[in-house]
Amino acid sequence: MTTPLRLGIAGLGTVGAGVVKIVQSRANLLAQRSGRPVVITAVSARTRDKDRGVDLSAYDWEDDPVALARRDDVDVLVELMGGSDGPAKAATEAAIASGKDVVTANKAMLAIHGQALAEAAEEAGRVIRFEAAVAGGIPVVKALTEGLAGNSIERVMGVMNGTCNYILTRMEGEGLPYETVFDEANALGYLEADPTLDVGGIDAGHKLALLASIAFGTRVDFAGVELEGIERISIDDIRHAADMGFRIKLLGVAQMTGRGLEQRMSPCLVPASSPLGTLEGPTNMVVLEGDAVGQVFLRGAGAGEGPTASAVMGDVMDIARGFRVSTFGAPAAALEPARAARASAAAPYYLRMELEDRPGALAKVATVLGEAGISIDRMRQYRHTDPTAPVLIVTHKTTRDALDHARAGFAATGVVAGDPVALRIEQV
Amino acid sequence: MTTPLRLGIAGLGTVGAGVVKIVQSRANLLAQRSGRPVVITAVSARTRDKDRGVDLSAYDWEDDPVALARRDDVDVLVELMGGSDGPAKAATEAAIASGKDVVTANKAMLAIHGQALAEAAEEAGRVIRFEAAVAGGIPVVKALTEGLAGNSIERVMGVMNGTCNYILTRMEGEGLPYETVFDEANALGYLEADPTLDVGGIDAGHKLALLASIAFGTRVDFAGVELEGIERISIDDIRHAADMGFRIKLLGVAQMTGRGLEQRMSPCLVPASSPLGTLEGPTNMVVLEGDAVGQVFLRGAGAGEGPTASAVMGDVMDIARGFRVSTFGAPAAALEPARAARASAAAPYYLRMELEDRPGALAKVATVLGEAGISIDRMRQYRHTDPTAPVLIVTHKTTRDALDHARAGFAATGVVAGDPVALRIEQV
């Protein structure tokens, strides 16, 4: 095959510019590896007159990404605009309808419309590839869909939002409060336009939902992800965790149980010396557990121009080589609807609460725990100057139901100010 | 496509039995994921009457693996016999000549005959896949060949022999001498029939040579790998390294420089807290460095029935899905002959030597180093009861040439007993 593979790139932010750079600077390497030239024929973005650090003069310009997707001289739409709906979805649908393959970095679009898009692609005999949507440059979609295709997958875990990990490790490293590091990250451009996508765990939840679909042969079910962000993590939580040999990570876990598919993205305590515990800064790590392979850890940059462009190009090269694989690793029609289940396995929990400084307050809290059947591993009340006293409790293993029971009980005591911070302790 | 993909399995050791188990127990999953049934039609091994824990009665038996490879009802030869020549090579060649694809776990065969086999396969329009040959269940061949295909690869590193890592971490953990742990590992069946393959670094060197070919577009050049085993590592070396915050790993490094392709597999000191430093037991880790993606770390079980069978099945599933890729990621004819170069980058070194207990002995050693242009970071002579005194030296950064110069100088002093242990310190 020496027919060139012709790309139409929609979206020319840092990742789009990164893809252009690779196609321009590595033309020989790409052609040699894939057996055919990989070229760009047309591009599209919101504004044409902007210096993106790359020479786009050789490519046709389309103001409308849908028009780009429909061009006869485009074989693959590279969708790098983002957003779950709007132009990204319209262009993706147009590409499929006009017989093009799609490579996208768009986790939100696939987390929400993945099933419909996968069905449309399969009907049209086209593929949608999305390595860049999950964990940046780490080839985790490929590892899960292809490398571990002989495994029944038992669990998928990971730290998949670099910004949250940056915030948490910087809080710990510098002893800074959440708000300060959040503002820093914002100033550095690390946060999405809507920061809740990052710190609320939504972006990472999208990624987890995509991996879960591949892992368990279920339809993407982002609505079934239990989400909790890192907004309530204080520097005290991080210090207490460190004292006990743990670090706090925004951790995603997906597993299939008899009761259904568990998907949760929430801050957890993990052993500081574990592979996940040692992750610093914006690095991502995904752990894949298969019945044959055991645990496979994949670690790398979770975002940024180079890593994300690398993932996009991996998908492009697969298409150039003629690889065809179902969007989520199995025919879309064969994917089962996911039955969402709450995380059921018992685990120890870290609890931090503010207690009214009244006689008997601590006893009330202890009583609530006892009545919920939760036994206490350690409990500590700190000296304080505020009217409320910070209390830290680590429980022995307990269930979520028991914990929820206890949380309701705390509220009823009248001595616990607000809702306690409750973080699962994962022995990963 | 609903035509079954028909496997002929040659070699029914633990990995072969593991592959049979997966094909039998995961038939629906495999068919759903790949779009076609994956079946076994015939098998071959040295002895027919042996309980392998799997039911082989449904498969035809061939005493001769070459006959198996030529069968009309076999689409893919799964070669799990091992050995660089002999039946493995004969069967692989026969399979290719008769139009079959090959999946193999045979690192020795590919490290030595990879170029010829790749050329034969491409001429015949067949593929040879070998994920199981490198780092067990970790999908590293796939990550490098496909996932990072848009990168110019800058360096490949890794701990790729689980047995050596088991020996080194067990020596450290239990404070046991090399010989004791070696005997233990042998009794546990962890060592190859010829243990030099493991502890001499040959097996890991084979793997490194295969990865280097993919990474740098060069013909496999196992002869160009600088090999050093772990046989001379003493518990004292491990302790000294630990005191300085390092751990000793049998580390492979391959990189392309202006002077040629550097490939070395040798025991090195790495920071104890680095990802490579934290590797315990038989675990493997490979680090891939690309110009776009940065560093990607892959970690998992380096051997064993399940992990290796998982890797074999990943390749089988790719073939079932119709993926075709050149053996080493680029057409065999396009691979450049490798120009082997010695590792050139300067690094600090750890030296341990036995010194005659004579006045002026230490001064002579220090003089040799000074004359070689090597400056000393730290130096320590230990108390001793033997006639010779153990001396430990950590140098500042120096070149291999300077080090070789110094080693020749040590021999000429007449006060250094034997050849010093010299281990590179890698800041990975």
Side-chain angles (χ1 to χ4, degrees):
Chain A
M1 259 195 306
T2 49
T3 327
L5 184 77
R6 299 165 301 175
L7 312 180
I9 302 181
L12 292 167
T14 51
V15 178
V19 170
V20 172
K21 281 180 204 165
I22 293 177
V23 171
Q24 290 180 349
S25 66
R26 301 289 174 210
N28 290 340
L29 195 67
L30 301 178
Q32 189 183 74
R33 287 179 177 163
S34 72
R36 60 195 291 203
V38 175
V39 299
I40 298 166
T41 45
V43 297
S44 173
R46 259 182 298 213
T47 46
R48 184 162 187 176
D49 297 326
K50 184 175 165 184
D51 182 9
R52 297 177 165 95
V54 287
D55 179 7
L56 301 171
S57 59
Y59 316 134
D60 281 355
W61 180 273
E62 295 280 358
D63 285 321
D64 177 7
V66 170
L68 178 89
R70 291 199 180 122
R71 286 175 65 105
D72 287 339
D73 59 1
V74 164
D75 302 310
V76 179
L77 171 70
V78 179
E79 188 284 297
L80 303 171
M81 294 178 285
S84 62
D85 293 82
K89 180 158 170 271
T92 300
E93 289 169 341
I96 291 165
S98 52
K100 282 90 204 258
D101 295 322
V102 176
V103 172
T104 178
N106 194 328
K107 59 222 81 163
M109 177 178 73
L110 290 176
I112 294 167
H113 305 293
Q115 179 66 23
L117 291 171
E119 287 175 10
E122 279 173 34
E123 237 163 79
R126 310 320 302 170
V127 297
I128 300 175
R129 304 293 304 264
F130 59 92
E131 187 63 82
V134 183
I138 308 173
V140 59
V141 171
K142 180 170 274 288
L144 186 60
T145 315
E146 303 167 23
L148 306 192
N151 287 259
S152 172
I153 301 297
E154 296 174 337
R155 188 163 63 154
V156 173
M157 288 189 298
V159 170
M160 306 182 207
N161 182 284
T163 304
C164 287
N165 205 54
Y166 167 84
I167 291 175
L168 293 171
T169 52
R170 186 154 168 84
M171 283 170 71
E172 175 160 7
E174 307 293 321
L176 293 169
Y178 174 80
E179 292 73 19
T180 308
V181 181
F182 177 91
D183 291 343
E184 261 182 29
N186 211 0
L188 287 164
Y190 284 10
L191 285 160
E192 303 265 357
D194 172 6
T196 320
L197 288 175
D198 285 313
V199 298
I202 297 169
D203 166 85
H206 287 153
K207 297 170 185 169
L208 184 70
L210 296 178
L211 293 181
S213 170
I214 304 169
F216 306 111
T218 47
R219 296 178 181 203
V220 185
D221 181 28
F222 172 64
V225 180
E226 292 185 64
L227 279 184
E228 195 182 319
I230 63 165
E231 304 97 328
R232 294 186 65 210
I233 304 297
S234 72
I235 181 68
D236 289 334
D237 293 324
I238 288 175
R239 285 191 186 127
H240 298 325
D243 286 347
M244 299 186 289
F246 290 94
R247 298 184 85 182
I248 299 177
K249 299 289 170 193
L250 178 65
L251 184 70
V253 180
Q255 62 192 129
M256 186 60 79
T257 69
R259 311 196 307 174
L261 176 63
E262 296 180 9
Q263 302 177 91
R264 56 195 159 85
M265 180 60 68
S266 57
C268 294
L269 274 66
V270 300
S273 62
S274 67
L276 284 163
T278 59
L279 267 200
E280 295 284 341
T283 314
N284 280 200
M285 179 180 281
V286 182
V287 188
L288 306 174
E289 294 181 10
D291 62 342
V293 78
Q295 285 190 321
V296 174
F297 297 78
L298 308 162
R299 170 184 162 141
E305 175 185 315
T308 313
S310 167
V312 168
M313 288 308 301
D315 284 344
V316 166
M317 290 293 281
D318 276 1
I319 291 174
R321 283 167 162 158
F323 294 3
R324 317 292 296 173
V325 63
S326 303
T327 311
F328 298 105
L335 299 172
E336 304 271 347
R339 194 156 47 93
R342 294 188 73 203
S344 56
Y349 277 82
Y350 162 99
L351 300 173
R352 177 176 56 82
M353 60 190 83
E354 293 293 323
L355 216 56
E356 302 289 339
D357 196 358
R358 292 214 297 265
L362 200 57
K364 282 187 182 173
V365 165
T367 304
V368 165
L369 286 169
E371 282 171 2
I374 298 173
S375 63
I376 296 172
D377 181 32
R378 50 181 121 173
M379 186 170 197
R380 195 165 156 189
Q381 180 173 325
Y382 288 87
R383 297 189 63 177
H384 58 102
T385 47
D386 298 327
T388 58
V391 169
L392 167 73
I393 297 168
V394 176
T395 74
H396 283 294
K397 272 194 179 183
T398 182
T399 63
R400 282 277 294 277
D401 287 347
L403 193 75
D404 287 346
H405 190 74
R407 288 169 91 155
F410 293 147
T413 60
V415 299
V416 176
D419 194 32
V421 167
L423 305 174
R424 197 175 161 100
I425 301 179
E426 288 279 2
Q427 293 294 344
V428 288
Chain B
M1 260 196 306
T2 49
T3 327
L5 184 77
R6 299 164 302 175
L7 312 180
I9 301 180
L12 291 168
T14 50
V15 178
V19 170
V20 172
K21 281 180 205 166
I22 293 178
V23 171
Q24 290 180 350
S25 66
R26 301 287 174 210
N28 290 340
L29 195 67
L30 302 177
Q32 189 184 73
R33 287 179 178 164
S34 72
R36 60 195 290 202
V38 174
V39 300
I40 297 166
T41 44
V43 296
S44 173
R46 259 184 298 216
T47 45
R48 183 162 188 175
D49 296 326
K50 185 174 164 184
D51 182 9
R52 297 177 166 95
V54 285
D55 179 6
L56 302 170
S57 60
Y59 316 135
D60 282 355
W61 179 273
E62 294 279 0
D63 285 321
D64 177 8
V66 170
L68 177 89
R70 291 199 179 119
R71 286 174 65 104
D72 287 339
D73 60 359
V74 164
D75 302 311
V76 179
L77 171 69
V78 179
E79 188 283 298
L80 303 171
M81 295 178 284
S84 62
D85 293 82
K89 180 159 169 272
T92 300
E93 289 169 341
I96 291 165
S98 53
K100 282 91 204 262
D101 294 323
V102 176
V103 172
T104 178
N106 195 327
K107 58 222 81 164
M109 177 177 75
L110 289 176
I112 293 168
H113 305 293
Q115 180 65 24
L117 291 171
E119 287 175 11
E122 279 173 35
E123 237 162 81
R126 310 320 302 169
V127 297
I128 301 175
R129 303 294 303 263
F130 59 93
E131 187 63 82
V134 182
I138 308 172
V140 60
V141 171
K142 179 171 275 288
L144 186 60
T145 315
E146 303 167 24
L148 305 192
N151 286 260
S152 171
I153 301 296
E154 297 174 336
R155 190 162 65 153
V156 174
M157 288 189 297
V159 170
M160 306 180 207
N161 182 284
T163 304
C164 287
N165 205 53
Y166 167 83
I167 291 175
L168 292 171
T169 52
R170 186 153 167 84
M171 283 171 70
E172 175 160 6
E174 307 294 321
L176 292 169
Y178 174 79
E179 293 72 19
T180 309
V181 181
F182 177 90
D183 291 344
E184 262 183 27
N186 211 0
L188 288 165
Y190 284 9
L191 285 159
E192 302 266 357
D194 172 6
T196 320
L197 288 175
D198 285 314
V199 297
I202 298 169
D203 165 85
H206 287 153
K207 297 169 185 169
L208 184 69
L210 296 178
L211 293 182
S213 171
I214 304 169
F216 305 112
T218 48
R219 296 177 182 206
V220 186
D221 181 28
F222 172 63
V225 180
E226 291 185 65
L227 279 183
E228 194 181 320
I230 63 165
E231 304 97 328
R232 295 185 64 211
I233 305 297
S234 72
I235 181 68
D236 289 334
D237 294 324
I238 288 175
R239 284 190 186 128
H240 297 326
D243 286 348
M244 299 186 289
F246 290 93
R247 299 183 84 183
I248 299 177
K249 298 289 169 192
L250 178 65
L251 184 71
V253 180
Q255 63 193 127
M256 186 61 79
T257 70
R259 311 197 308 174
L261 176 63
E262 296 180 8
Q263 301 176 91
R264 57 195 157 85
M265 180 59 69
S266 58
C268 294
L269 275 66
V270 299
S273 60
S274 66
L276 283 163
T278 58
L279 267 199
E280 295 283 341
T283 314
N284 280 199
M285 179 179 283
V286 182
V287 188
L288 306 174
E289 294 181 10
D291 63 342
V293 78
Q295 286 191 321
V296 174
F297 297 78
L298 308 162
R299 170 183 162 142
E305 176 185 316
T308 313
S310 167
V312 168
M313 288 308 300
D315 285 343
V316 165
M317 290 293 281
D318 276 1
I319 292 173
R321 282 168 162 159
F323 293 4
R324 317 293 295 174
V325 63
S326 304
T327 311
F328 297 105
L335 299 172
E336 304 272 346
R339 194 157 49 92
R342 294 188 73 204
S344 56
Y349 277 83
Y350 163 99
L351 302 172
R352 176 176 55 82
M353 60 191 82
E354 292 293 323
L355 214 56
E356 302 290 339
D357 197 357
R358 291 213 300 264
L362 200 57
K364 282 186 182 174
V365 165
T367 303
V368 165
L369 286 170
E371 283 171 2
I374 298 173
S375 63
I376 296 172
D377 181 30
R378 49 181 123 175
M379 185 170 197
R380 195 164 156 188
Q381 180 172 326
Y382 287 88
R383 298 189 63 177
H384 58 104
T385 48
D386 299 326
T388 58
V391 169
L392 167 72
I393 297 168
V394 176
T395 75
H396 283 295
K397 272 195 179 182
T398 182
T399 63
R400 284 278 295 277
D401 287 347
L403 193 75
D404 287 346
H405 190 74
R407 287 169 93 154
F410 293 147
T413 59
V415 299
V416 177
D419 193 33
V421 167
L423 306 175
R424 198 176 161 98
I425 301 178
E426 289 279 1
Q427 293 294 346
V428 289

